[in-house]
């Protein structure tokens, strides 16, 4: 649904999926993306930070989360936080290689 541009529907389903099986990194990452697209910065930040925590900075999903957080913080006018997240993203990218296509 998210890929089809049905952000509101996707957000509802992703919240339901997270409630049924919490702490699934892939679900939380998609939830963060959907919340960001829906304009809910707080929910997006919460979900993306949780992904980064769950992945322990050890995979491409963690890197993608840091990249998404950097974009979110830039959008919110928080350049210091955005810079920090980009640094985390770049550290991970140097160890895991190029980002995967979505």
């Amino acid at each position: 649904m998210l890929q089809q541009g049905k952000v509101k529907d996707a957000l509802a389903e992703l919240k339901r999926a997270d409630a049924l099986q919490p702490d699934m990194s892939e679900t939380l990452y998609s939830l963060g993306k959907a919340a960001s697209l829906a304009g809910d910065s707080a929910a997006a930040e919460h979900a993306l930070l949780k992904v980064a925590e769950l992945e322990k900075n050890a995979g491409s999903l963690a890197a993608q989360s840091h990249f998404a957080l950097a974009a979110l913080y830039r959008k919110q006018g928080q350049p210091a936080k955005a810079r920090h997240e980009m640094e985390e993203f770049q550290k991970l990218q140097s160890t895991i290689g190029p980002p995967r296509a979505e």
Side-chain angles (χ1 to χ4, degrees):
M1 283 184 265
L2 188 57
Q3 291 176 347
Q4 296 172 351
K6 298 177 182 178
V7 176
K8 186 177 177 182
D9 293 337
L11 189 55
E13 288 302 314
L14 289 163
K15 285 180 179 179
R16 189 172 72 81
D18 185 49
L20 290 172
Q21 193 165 6
D23 295 341
M24 296 288 298
S25 296
E26 292 83 4
T27 301
L28 287 167
Y29 178 73
S30 293
L31 181 58
K33 284 180 58 175
S36 181
L37 290 170
D40 189 347
S41 297
E45 179 181 28
H46 177 77
L48 294 168
L49 285 171
K50 187 68 175 176
V51 173
E53 176 188 324
L54 290 170
E55 294 294 312
K56 302 287 188 229
N57 297 327
S60 65
L61 203 52
Q64 291 173 352
S65 294
H66 286 293
F67 188 81
L69 281 164
L72 182 68
Y73 291 142
R74 271 194 305 277
K75 187 175 166 183
Q76 292 176 336
Q78 298 182 55
K81 283 185 172 184
R83 201 168 24 258
H84 171 74
E85 294 300 332
M86 277 307 291
E87 289 170 2
E88 293 300 315
F89 167 74
Q90 289 167 343
K91 282 183 208 173
L92 288 168
Q93 282 301 104
S94 69
T95 61
I96 62 173
R100 67 179 182 195
E102 291 185 25

